[in-house]
Amino acid sequence: DYHAFRECVLKLDVDNVLIERCGEAPWSEVEESEKRTEEWYGVEYGLKPAADVMKELVTGANDEGMHLPDLNAYVPDNLDLHPDAPSAKANLDEDVVPPSLVEEVPGFGRLYHSLDRRYALPKAFLNLTVRAPAALHSKEGDKWKY
């Protein structure tokens, strides 16, 4: 539901969002008093409020007009399979057919397609990598290195 999603996203701000930083540089910035251990797997992590620099970056980005895109007419409201589709009825005896490559754009990604004739369920997998220059910043002492 686009409108419900939009309403939720509009409530996010730097004070109620979780920013995850992974790697050696962020871990070295975690003070001993901020270190925690996850109770089931014993994984160490650090937890602290967003740094002022991160607040400035996020606030500045919003001031420059970040917003959700308009409603996309090509995204369906109903994900039911069409009754006339060749895979509309489940057939557990059908072999699973691997997806075929539809398009590959070097440096950007690949698009695969496969009809699910076995379980007759619509599904989609979307993996995205978002690259943000601000995520590459690290702190040396009391100064940020860019």
Side-chain angles (χ1 to χ4, degrees), residues 60-115:
N62 288 337
D63 291 345
E64 293 171 16
M66 280 183 63
H67 59 84
L68 289 173
D70 293 332
L71 188 60
N72 186 338
Y74 298 103
V75 175
D77 292 328
N78 181 344
L79 296 178
D80 292 340
L81 292 176
H82 192 279
D84 296 335
S87 61
K89 294 191 176 28
N91 180 0
L92 296 178
D93 296 327
E94 183 95 23
D95 288 336
V96 175
V97 179
S100 57
L101 181 65
V102 175
E103 177 106 25
E104 182 169 8
V105 179
F108 185 74
R110 294 181 292 259
L111 176 65
Y112 291 90
H113 178 265
S114 178
L115 277 174

Side-chain angles (χ1 to χ4, degrees), residues 9 11 14 16 19 26 28 30 35 42-43 51 57 59 84 90 98 119 124-125 144 146:
V9 169
K11 291 180 181 179
V14 75
N16 67 6
I19 300 170
S28 68
V30 178
K35 291 185 178 179
V43 176
L57 289 172
T59 304
D84 296 335
Y119 297 103
F125 298 98
W144 284 91
Y146 298 94

Side-chain angles (χ1 to χ4, degrees), residues 18-19 21 27 30-31 34-36 44-48:
L18 177 67
I19 300 170
R21 295 179 65 215
W27 183 249
V30 178
E31 311 232 352
E34 299 167 333
K35 291 185 178 179
R36 309 275 190 280
E44 289 185 305
Y45 65 97
L47 188 62
K48 62 182 178 178

